[in-house]
Amino acid sequence: MDIAMFSFMRSSMIRNAVKLGIADALRAGPLDAAKLATAVGAAKVSFLERIMRLLIRMGMIKFRIASPHNVSLGVFQQLPDGRYAHTRLSAVLCTTHPSSVVPAIRYLELRLQEEWGGLDQVIKTGEVQPLEEYWAKLNADDELRSTC
């Protein structure tokens, strides 16, 4: 039940990492928390560190201690010196990667938030949002439109 209850947090963390541009900020190399916060425009370093810690604990970002046997398989990693870095899995979260999943995440965010987020109202009212509204929003975003 734990996985089912908290899976929304995992997808939300990936979505927010994309929105913040964490992968793009780390593209040039590892950064400490202060430099990463500056790169993504975080108002407080401590808030970004909390998100990173949450991602580490959820297994999306894996903490790596100074040991040759502890290999990170998380999306990002925290190096022994405290800097955050890419793993082989995080490259596709960069907007410039040829196989970037960023447009798909943005598309799904638009689709899922609007469709699934209001499911309770659909059930209560029996009214479904017209698809014309959805497609108008999609067509207004060049990056999303190019992925569909």
Side-chain angles (χ1 to χ4, degrees):
M1 187 62 147
D2 179 53
I3 292 171
M5 288 179 51
F6 294 105
S7 61
F8 77 94
M9 290 176 68
R10 295 175 197 275
S11 61
S12 179
M13 293 283 64
I14 290 175
R15 188 179 80 245
N16 283 291
V18 165
K19 283 179 150 181
L20 288 168
I22 292 172
D24 286 328
L26 294 173
R27 187 175 44 230
L31 294 173
D32 63 31
K35 289 179 182 168
L36 182 58
T38 299
V40 301
K44 294 188 176 189
V45 175
S46 62
F47 288 0
L48 182 62
E49 288 175 318
R50 287 178 187 176
I51 289 171
M52 299 303 271
R53 277 196 309 268
L54 179 59
L55 291 168
I56 289 166
R57 289 187 180 125
M58 289 183 347
M60 294 175 60
I61 296 176
K62 186 173 180 178
F63 182 71
R64 190 169 117 189
I65 59 173
S67 167
H69 304 292
N70 190 7
V71 178
S72 175
L73 296 175
V75 176
F76 298 103
Q77 63 180 319
Q78 189 173 23
L79 301 174
D81 64 5
R83 294 178 302 152
Y84 297 101
H86 275 292
T87 66
R88 62 181 182 208
L89 301 177
S90 61
V92 295
L93 294 178
C94 289
T95 55
T96 57
H97 191 279
S99 299
S100 176
V101 297
V102 172
I105 289 170
R106 290 181 179 158
Y107 167 78
L108 289 172
E109 176 184 24
L110 174 65
R111 181 73 177 162
L112 295 178
Q113 277 190 337
E114 291 189 10
E115 299 299 323
W116 291 94
L119 185 59
D120 61 325
Q121 290 303 309
V122 171
I123 292 169
K124 286 181 181 181
T125 66
E127 296 176 17
V128 179
Q129 175 187 6
L131 283 177
E132 292 81 21
E133 270 185 59
Y134 167 74
W135 288 113
K137 289 179 185 178
L138 183 66
N139 285 326
D141 187 316
D142 291 336
E143 186 177 3
L144 287 176
R145 189 176 59 245
S146 70
T147 64
C148 300

